[in-house]
Every structure is written in structure tokens, then in C-alpha cells.
């Protein structure tokens, strides 16, 4: 008999009950994703379904040195 199930990497930990905003939550043992609120006794699930594609491409941040050089160049300074 297996006493402890393997960790579920897709199980998220809610900070508040979505119904009464209580922070007294315990994992519900019936399913892999359910949580029980000890104040309102509701049982609910929090599931991660994935991530949508971003609307715009994320451009890498410019380094501090490059930003300074770009700023100086814009203002007419020669390097
Ligand atoms: Zn609650």
C-alpha cells in the first residue's frame, strides 16, 4: 500500500478561498487539484491549463552600457 502519492507539479496553491476569501485552506484528498476551505466548507479546484501566446514578441532588454550609448548618440554626443 502506497501511503504517499507522488507530487503533482500542476497543483497550484491558492492564497484565498474564491467564495469567502478565507486563508484557511487545506488540500482535499479526493482529487489531485481540490482544496477545502475550513471556514465556508466549500471544496474547489485550482488547475493550471497552460499559457496563451503573447500578443507581442518580447524583446530582450538593452544592457545599461548600450542604453547609455544610445542615449548619448541620440543627443548628438560622439563616442
Ligand atoms: Zn471559503
Amino acid at each position: 500500500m502506497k501511503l504517499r502519492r507522488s507530487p503533482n507539479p500542476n497543483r497550484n496553491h491558492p492564497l484565498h478561498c474564491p467564495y469567502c476569501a478565507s486563508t484557511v485552506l487545506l488540500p482535499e484528498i479526493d482529487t489531485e487539484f481540490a482544496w477545502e476551505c475550513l471556514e465556508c466548507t466549500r471544496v474547489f479546484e485550482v488547475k493550471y491549463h497552460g499559457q496563451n501566446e503573447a500578443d507581442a514578441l518580447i524583446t530582450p532588454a538593452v544592457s545599461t552600457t548600450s542604453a547609455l550609448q544610445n542615449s548619448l548618440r541620440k543627443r548628438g554626443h560622439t563616442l
Side-chain angles (χ1 to χ4, degrees):
M1 183 174 129
K2 192 173 181 182
L3 295 176
R4 186 173 190 174
R5 60 186 170 196
S6 59
N8 179 354
N10 293 320
R11 184 182 187 113
N12 290 315
H13 184 271
L15 299 177
H16 301 277
C17 171
Y19 300 97
C20 74
S22 168
T23 57
V24 187
L25 304 172
L26 287 178
E28 176 66 33
I29 59 173
D30 290 343
T31 73
E32 287 284 316
F33 297 96
W35 291 87
E36 178 185 9
C37 174
L38 295 184
E39 294 204 14
C40 71
T41 66
R42 287 185 171 100
V43 176
F44 58 94
E45 287 189 350
V46 177
K47 266 186 178 176
Y48 178 70
H49 289 273
Q51 188 171 9
N52 292 336
E53 285 187 31
D55 292 336
L57 292 176
I58 299 170
T59 56
V62 180
S63 71
T64 303
T65 305
S66 297
L68 176 61
Q69 289 172 350
N70 292 344
S71 178
L72 291 173
R73 196 174 300 117
K74 237 188 263 180
R75 287 164 177 75
H77 299 281
T78 56
L79 303 175

